[in-house]
Amino acid sequence: MKRPDIVSVVGKPDKTLELQYSNGEKRIFDVKPYIEGSWFGELNDDTYFKSVHIINNGKGIEWSNGQDIAPHELYELSILL
């Protein structure tokens, strides 16, 4: 099955991502388990966390220093709203 594209992403204060997909689904992905160490630890900064953006024409997301989460994880491990 081909995953739908991401059409919007919002970093929330509780360290979750609200994702809107091209098929109309809204999903919530919990980033907290990923936030450890110096690399992903940067995501603890609220302003930086909220700066998440879509890349590759909706195929993925990332932050400006290069942190990202695999697109299949975002979709398969998120909760449908």
Side-chain angles (χ1 to χ4, degrees):
M1 175 182 107
K2 182 181 179 307
R3 268 184 311 282
D5 291 338
I6 300 166
V7 296
S8 73
V9 59
V10 176
K12 304 299 235 173
D14 64 352
K15 300 300 187 263
T16 60
L17 298 175
E18 184 176 287
L19 300 152
Q20 175 81 40
Y21 285 89
S22 59
N23 65 356
E25 289 181 345
K26 269 191 165 177
R27 304 181 75 87
I28 292 287
F29 182 85
D30 187 0
V31 182
K32 288 186 288 299
Y34 295 76
I35 301 176
E36 53 185 60
S38 60
W39 178 248
F40 278 102
E42 290 181 326
L43 302 180
N44 274 313
D45 178 277
D46 289 337
T47 302
Y48 185 68
F49 186 79
K50 291 176 186 178
S51 73
V52 65
H53 56 276
I54 296 170
I55 58 169
N56 298 330
N57 295 316
K59 303 297 184 223
I61 58 99
E62 79 173 5
W63 287 267
S64 60
N65 289 340
Q67 298 93 338
D68 64 354
I69 298 169
H72 72 277
E73 289 184 48
L74 290 173
Y75 191 76
E76 294 166 10
L77 301 178
S78 59
I79 299 169
L80 184 63
L81 291 178

